[in-house]
Amino acid sequence: MSIAFLVALPPAVLFAGALLCFVTPGQRPRLSQVFGEIAAFLAFISATALGVYLAIHGALSFQLFQYAFMRLAFRIDVLSVAMAVLVSFVGWIVVRYAASYLDGENRQGSFTAWLLMTLGSVMLLVLAGDLSQLVISWIATSLCIHKLLLFYVDRPTARKAARKKFIVARASDVALLGGALLLGRAYGTGDIASILDAARQTLGGASACWAAGLLAVAAALKSAQFPAHGWLTEVMETPTPVSALLHAGVVNAGGFLLIRFADVLVLSPGTLAALAIVGGFTALYGSVVMLTQPAVKTSLAWSTVAQMGFMIMECGLGLFPLALLHIIAHSLYKAHSFLACGGAVERIVASRRLGGVAIPDAGAVTKGFVVALAIYGAVGVFFGFLHKPPQAVALGAILIFGVAYLFAQGFADLAPRPLALRTTLYAVATSMSYFILQSIASSLTGNALPSPPAPGPLQWVLIGIAVISFVLVAVLQSLLPLWANHPAVAGLRVHISNGFYLNALFDRAIGGWNVRSRI
């Protein structure tokens, strides 16, 4: 089997399956459902086969054909194969889930067709070896997911969210197109492999730096970064399979773009700093608002905003291998969360039958954070974190703050004694997992992604601000139950749950209150 056939097979079978589903767009199209599931499964198998080829033969790029400025070219490396396997696997699960979830819907066949079209466009995106293919597939992915967002077109809130997504996506498209044109001007080619090789030699000049800035804007808009995050939290009127695909795959395209052009981004320290600031703030903002959401799917949406912000911050700190690892882990987790959200209420009710949650006081919180950081430091010394990039060490400290909250509950006066032991094991396991996975990710992507740049004064300031900000939020979260009954806290909770009304300002700016128009 030739490599050209193997690499073109994942998007080809998905598009072919979509065409078959378009033939029978109505209710219970059994034959189309079978074709759709087979197409998604074949895409996953062929993407996995690409991983085997990469392990044996190494990375390569090649072109299938060219017409005018458009080229169909593919790049096989760790990033493209990992994303292809991830997208095809999640897509296969979502297609199977949708077959039963939408059983009996009037446009079930059409839904499956657009689902496969979206997956095929994403596959072309992650496997792209040329700028023209990258831009076209980027736009196609957005237009296809737009059709899925409007599956229930009679719902006003669905139309409003889709309209906001459409506006933000077109701005992202313009930024990406501008960045691609500047990259072509800076390096004299649209071949991504050639651009990255030249960027590693610090070539490109001012055009490359401006291109990096536009790529960052495109990625931030695609991944729902503050203040253009509102559309992602409002697309709950779409069927659950769309939410799973959107949150687990499509919204990650911004992170993929940054990782793909990591060698270009490191040429612009200012762009990296901006990404760290925007991503860090979005992560804090999204995580705080998430805690106040009463609905499961809305809480998951705000969680995605926060996770995408954290991933963008990782890219801004130059931790591109960790950002790739974050994309994979978050996609699998979020796909499962959306597809299983129907049983979330039952699980919460069952957990409350076991008793209330122990509320820690200030002393327990202080002790919890000190112990968690001490365990992290001890494990880090064992894994040689003194020789790791400062950005990676700081990121690990931020992650351990979540375990510190569990420690605080374990040290509360009313907490059962086994809870303290269990949280200690969590802290050790989390710290060890972080350093092990960080080492694995860096080893697997060593030749494909640049190492984190040595932090300068600005980077040290950003690292310090990030660590202090996250620890303050974690401490406030731990102490918040003590103030839950205070009137000021109750009022603040209302404002936080509405995201401080920034989404309403966005609605007013684009005329979002008028939802009669259909896009």
Side-chain angles (χ1 to χ4, degrees):
M1 181 184 297
S2 68
I3 182 59
F5 174 80
L6 184 62
V7 76
L9 187 59
V13 297
L14 290 169
F15 288 133
L19 292 177
L20 291 174
C21 292
F22 277 127
V23 175
T24 54
Q27 190 180 52
R28 291 194 173 96
R30 296 301 181 190
L31 192 59
S32 295
Q33 290 178 7
V34 172
F35 285 141
E37 290 187 25
I38 292 176
F41 180 71
L42 287 177
F44 170 59
I45 294 299
S46 55
T48 305
L50 281 177
V52 176
Y53 182 94
L54 175 66
I56 297 174
H57 299 285
L60 79 156
S61 299
F62 63 92
Q63 173 183 320
L64 288 184
F65 70 87
Q66 179 175 357
Y67 179 77
F69 66 91
M70 296 176 57
R71 296 172 67 236
L72 182 62
F74 295 96
R75 177 169 175 79
I76 302 175
D77 59 9
V78 173
L79 175 59
S80 62
V81 170
M83 292 297 295
V85 173
L86 172 68
V87 170
S88 58
F89 175 72
V90 172
W92 175 45
I93 299 299
V94 169
V95 170
R96 285 180 56 84
Y97 182 89
S100 59
Y101 182 89
L102 291 172
D103 185 49
E105 291 280 356
N106 291 329
R107 296 187 296 118
Q108 185 176 0
S110 177
F111 178 90
T112 305
W114 283 114
L115 196 61
L116 293 176
M117 288 290 292
T118 303
L119 290 170
S121 300
V122 176
M123 293 297 284
L124 279 179
L125 172 67
V126 300
L127 293 170
D130 186 80
L131 291 176
S132 60
Q133 179 181 335
L134 182 80
V135 173
I136 292 173
S137 55
W138 178 280
I139 297 173
T141 299
S142 176
L143 294 178
C144 291
I145 200 71
H146 183 76
K147 289 290 187 178
L148 295 174
L149 294 178
L150 287 174
F151 181 74
Y152 295 121
V153 71
D154 57 322
R155 299 180 179 180
T157 51
R159 296 200 302 272
K160 185 177 76 169
R163 182 187 183 195
K164 293 167 71 172
K165 166 69 169 61
F166 190 87
I167 293 173
V168 174
R170 299 293 74 78
S172 176
D173 297 342
V174 171
L176 178 61
L177 179 59
L181 292 175
L182 285 175
L183 286 176
R185 175 184 177 183
Y187 297 103
T189 180
D191 182 66
I192 293 177
S194 300
I195 291 174
L196 297 180
D197 289 339
R200 291 190 189 100
Q201 303 174 36
T202 66
L203 302 177
S207 295
C209 292
W210 283 107
L214 287 175
L215 293 177
V217 172
L221 292 172
K222 192 76 166 184
S223 293
Q225 296 300 281
F226 181 91
H229 60 280
W231 63 268
L232 186 61
T233 63
E234 291 187 352
V235 291
M236 297 299 105
E237 292 292 342
T238 190
T240 296
V242 181
S243 298
L245 180 63
L246 177 65
H247 289 260
V250 176
V251 77
N252 289 329
F256 164 78
L257 181 69
L258 296 177
I259 299 172
R260 168 55 75 207
F261 293 100
D263 293 289
V264 176
L265 290 174
V266 297
L267 300 177
S268 177
T271 298
L272 291 179
L275 287 171
I277 294 172
V278 172
F281 182 82
T282 304
L284 289 170
Y285 172 74
S287 60
V288 170
V289 178
M290 176 196 70
L291 297 174
T292 63
Q293 300 304 306
V296 174
K297 290 181 68 175
T298 306
S299 178
L300 289 174
W302 278 103
S303 169
T304 298
V305 171
Q307 292 293 333
M308 290 300 98
F310 204 79
M311 181 265 299
I312 294 290
M313 184 183 72
E314 290 168 337
C315 291
L317 294 176
L319 300 171
F320 297 103
L322 278 176
L324 176 59
L325 179 64
H326 193 160
I327 286 178
I328 295 173
H330 175 262
S331 295
L332 297 175
Y333 159 73
K334 197 52 63 75
H336 173 269
S337 296
F338 270 102
L339 297 181
C341 66
V345 176
E346 288 81 359
R347 291 192 295 271
I348 293 174
V349 172
S351 65
R352 287 181 176 175
R353 290 179 185 146
L354 300 177
V357 177
I359 299 178
D361 56 15
V365 170
T366 302
K367 187 186 299 183
F369 276 78
V370 170
V371 172
L373 289 175
I375 292 176
Y376 172 71
V379 174
V381 170
F382 177 79
F383 282 92
F385 80 156
L386 297 177
H387 304 289
K388 294 184 179 295
Q391 300 97 313
V393 177
L395 187 70
I398 291 173
L399 293 176
I400 208 67
F401 294 152
V403 179
Y405 172 71
L406 296 178
F407 263 119
Q409 287 186 322
F411 290 139
D413 294 335
L414 299 179
R417 290 187 178 181
L419 182 60
L421 177 60
R422 188 161 66 244
T423 51
T424 302
L425 295 177
Y426 285 161
V428 175
T430 301
S431 301
M432 293 181 63
S433 299
Y434 171 74
F435 286 111
I436 291 173
L437 292 175
Q438 191 264 343
S439 299
I440 293 175
S442 298
S443 176
L444 292 176
T445 61
N447 297 326
L449 299 176
S451 302
L458 176 59
Q459 285 70 32
W460 278 113
V461 171
L462 292 177
I463 292 172
I465 292 176
V467 172
I468 294 173
S469 299
F470 277 94
V471 73
L472 287 177
V473 170
V475 170
L476 290 175
Q477 177 186 350
S478 302
L479 295 175
L480 188 60
L482 295 175
W483 313 324
N485 296 323
H486 194 281
V489 174
L492 180 61
R493 183 184 181 88
V494 174
H495 300 314
I496 294 176
S497 66
N498 286 281
F500 296 102
Y501 311 101
L502 294 175
N503 209 13
L505 295 176
F506 190 11
D507 285 331
R508 184 172 298 180
I510 64 173
W513 296 118
N514 182 6
V515 295
R516 296 177 183 175
S517 60
R518 298 184 182 185
I519 299 177

